[in-house]
Amino acid sequence: MTPLLEVKNLHAEIDGKKILNGLDLVVNKGEVHAIMGPNGAGKSTLSYVLAGRDGYEVTEGDVLLNGESMLEMEPSERACKGVFLAFQYPMEIPGVATMTFLRAALNAQRKTRGEPELSSPDAIRKVKDVAGQLGINMDMLKRPVNVGFSGGEKKRAETMQMALLEPKLCLLDETDSGLDIDALKVVSEGVNRLRSPERGFVVITHYQRLLDHIVPDIVHVMSAGKIVRTGGKELAHELEASGYAQYQQEAA
Amino acid sequence: MGENVTANRTPAEIGLAEAFAQLDGKLPGNSDVKAKREEAFARFGSVGLPHRRVEAWHYTDLKSLQREALPLAAPPSAEAKTAAWNAQTLFAGLGARRLVIIDGTVVPALSDMDGLEPGLTVSTMAAALSEGDPFVASHLGTGRPVDDPAVELNTAFMGDGVVIRVAEGAVIERPIHLVFVATGDVPASTFVRSLVVVGNGAKLTLAESHQALGAAAYQPNIGLELVVGDDAQVDYVKCLRESTASQHLASFMTALGARAVFNHFSLTTGGAVVRNQLFLKLNGEGACVDIRGANLLRGNQHADTTLVADHLAPGCQAREVFKSVLADESRGIFQGKISVAPDAQKTDAKMMAQALLLSETAEFDSKPELEIFADDVQCGHGTTAGALDEDLRFYLMARGIPADEAESLLIQAFVGETLENIAHESLKSVLMSAVADWLQAGGASHA
Ligand SMILES: Nc1ncnc2c1ncn2[C@@H]1O[C@H](COP(=O)(O)OP(=O)(O)O)[C@@H](O)[C@H]1O
Ligand SMILES: [Mg+2]
């Protein structure tokens, strides 16, 4: 069976600085992978390269989504094919109303699937359904995208967008950072509701804490731009106890 | 002086002088009006068309931009009237009282001159000048800036326009819409002068739109004097969508009474060369102005917004926000001068000019100036210019929104601040659609 995501010997750099150094990763439908690693390992970079952000140069390797190379695709094409990145630092967009943004995203994705556009009331209904489950009220939806949201509200909003867009591959970059324990539960429940045999997850985190709530099938350790160890969920606990020091040394 | 000046005169200046000399009796007005015209033309003639070395016109060198003086537009034919009427669509669904000005001439037959609300008086400038209307005579030119060549030319050649009076305390709910249409069949210039006097405690919403049908070269020189009485309020919007064959000079002169409120918005998407001049005199204590504008330009368009705000009384508040979105080789200019007289203590004036540069070859020039003679004031200004935020663009695209749509959303967000204060909801949505239309027309040209 073709994997959902296949990252093959990926090398990437920014401004001539090598950040990913031959990274391999295979994610099948239905699996939840965790990527853990010290700060500066290149975790966010990996998520950006997968999502198609400008400025990164892939010098070697390939990234396949359902067997198709994504490297030449615009970020919007990737999103429409089912890639979703929940940002470590979601951006504030003054002047763009949250509803306008969500409807534009929904309709852009529906269009590529040949589905009719959602009317404004239909979009509002759909958003309200999902938003409620994540404790996001109408007041927040009336504001410009992420503007004035607390760190926790931003992460809930990211999860809400993910639930709304129903992606195939969910990339979560440090979704737990800046969350208190209650918010962490809300967000994790939101993510767990989306788990399905059709969907794959890559959960990037620095701490094991999130993985108590979103229990992974496979855990990878990333250091200096590549995966240095892979194991089951018990690996996360081991890391919590021993820290990343040994991996940082290996990489150095 | 004579010889030297004459020797250096451009074909346009010579053309203007000849046109003025041949006017005799062709333009409305009694001997007083004639004298006003002559004084104005003499003041213009002594300096000629402004050029780079004239400070106020440094960025808009009319001497080189206006190569020739186009003949005065002929009164519109019946066919031209019909064509213009059918084509004017902007603000059409608004239910406004429309006053239609075709090729510089007010066309009463197409205008809503009847059923005026109590307290509202509307007439034409041509009639007022011909009849020697003492009210018009006493107001005309009172808000005139010193030595502005565009205004001098407007006064010298003014042909027609509207005269609107709102009586003390009258609240006119139905907006008045000045519909300017250029038929654009033959190259022509127009000089329209309007006067709007809003009495104490009165209220008026005024919209102004400019469209051109044909592609013939066109030089409109538009003058509008607005007097806002004590405790009165005027909401004004302008939408300029002339063709790129137009060189549009507009001078907006406003005098505000005590506690008067004036909200202004202007959107420019059309015209090859545009100069929007705003002269504000805050004469009464506690007047409050909110002046905003957006210039959306592409190709070789050039639009200059020049604002002079004179704070002459204490406790006035002014907010000025201008945004330019500049694609291709276009050029945006903002000049803003806030001057605060010694008596105008507690003045609170803030001015902001921002540009979004969509191409490497677009250019934005900003010249803010503060001239403050009072000590207890809060005045500030700021200028920014930059490209679209790549991070925000990526965020939108990461949700599936294609590049051109993501850019449109960000441009609309940038411009949005200038529109948010428009109280009249349908006016606001028409203007928002005009912004969307502009973006649509550009396609992915700036991708
Ligand atoms: N735009 C950039 N320019 C230069 N270096 C960068 C840039 N972004 C990230 N880096 C560097 O790349 C490395 C990996 O960063 P990042 O992917 O954010 O790591 P992580 O998410 O694992 O903490 C770090 O050393 C960081 O300083
Ligand atoms: Mg990171």
Side-chain angles (χ1 to χ4, degrees), chain B residues 5-138:
Chain B
V5 170
T6 316
N8 291 329
R9 281 199 305 181
T10 64
E13 288 164 343
I14 294 165
L16 284 165
E18 284 173 3
F20 192 75
Q22 289 158 17
L23 276 184
D24 64 318
K26 283 197 206 117
L27 290 176
N30 57 19
S31 58
D32 290 347
V33 175
K34 196 158 177 265
K36 250 183 195 171
R37 293 183 190 282
E38 277 164 4
E39 286 161 24
F41 196 78
R43 282 191 298 263
F44 167 76
S46 67
V47 289
L49 286 170
H51 49 79
R52 288 176 43 240
R53 290 182 307 282
V54 175
E55 205 193 332
W57 292 79
H58 177 72
Y59 299 103
T60 299
D61 184 337
L62 271 194
K63 217 180 199 74
S64 63
L65 289 166
Q66 287 205 340
R67 288 299 164 82
E68 53 176 342
L70 301 177
L72 291 182
S77 65
E79 300 87 73
K81 287 179 191 171
T82 313
W85 179 251
N86 291 335
Q88 53 89 24
T89 49
L90 212 62
F91 302 139
L94 221 59
R97 175 182 299 284
R98 283 184 287 191
L99 305 177
V100 180
I101 301 153
I102 301 176
D103 292 337
T105 301
V106 180
V107 182
L110 295 177
S111 302
D112 303 317
M113 303 294 246
D114 301 328
L116 299 174
E117 292 91 329
L120 178 65
T121 317
V122 176
S123 57
T124 71
M125 183 59 82
L129 294 175
S130 305
E131 291 156 14
D133 181 329
F135 178 82
V136 171
S138 67

Side-chain angles (χ1 to χ4, degrees), chain B residues 119-204:
Chain B
L120 178 65
T121 317
V122 176
S123 57
T124 71
M125 183 59 82
L129 294 175
S130 305
E131 291 156 14
D133 181 329
F135 178 82
V136 171
S138 67
H139 279 88
L140 206 65
T142 50
R144 183 176 71 79
V146 184
D147 291 339
D148 182 78
V151 175
E152 304 297 7
L153 283 176
N154 185 273
T155 305
F157 287 100
M158 60 190 170
D160 204 352
V162 297
V163 178
I164 298 170
R165 288 172 68 176
V166 182
E168 204 165 295
V171 174
I172 309 300
E173 295 288 352
R174 186 180 175 192
I176 295 182
H177 176 194
L178 309 184
V179 185
F180 288 79
V181 185
T183 54
D185 294 332
V186 287
S189 63
T190 60
F191 295 85
V192 174
R193 178 70 157 259
S194 298
L195 174 67
V196 179
V197 180
V198 179
N200 293 347
K203 212 173 158 186
L204 178 69

Side-chain angles (χ1 to χ4, degrees), chain A residues 53 74 76 79 84-85 91-92 94 101 105 108-109 146 158 161, chain B residues 390-392 394-402 405 409-410 413:
Chain A
R53 190 174 194 159
E74 291 281 336
S76 50
F84 183 95
L85 168 62
M91 287 145 198
E92 300 191 5
F101 160 64
Q109 299 212 10
N146 292 326
E158 291 290 286
Q161 292 175 27
Chain B
E390 280 301 318
D391 292 344
L392 301 187
F394 171 61
Y395 188 78
L396 294 171
M397 289 183 76
R399 298 299 177 251
I401 300 171
E405 196 182 336
L409 279 171
L410 293 174

Side-chain angles (χ1 to χ4, degrees), chain A residues 39 43-45 88-89 173-174 204:
Chain A
N39 279 328
K43 304 185 296 297
S44 291
T45 301
Q88 179 172 2
Y89 303 108
D173 189 5
E174 306 254 4
I204 293 172

Side-chain angles (χ1 to χ4, degrees), chain B residues 68 115 146 160 184 211 234 274 327 332 356 370 398 403:
Chain B
E68 53 176 342
V146 184
D160 204 352
Q211 283 174 282
V234 174
V274 176
L356 190 55
L370 297 177

Side-chain angles (χ1 to χ4, degrees), chain B residues 19 25 61 113 184 186 234 258 307 313 327 368 375 407 431 445:
Chain B
D61 184 337
M113 303 294 246
V186 287
V234 174
L307 169 82
D375 46 25
E407 287 171 12
L431 290 162
S445 75

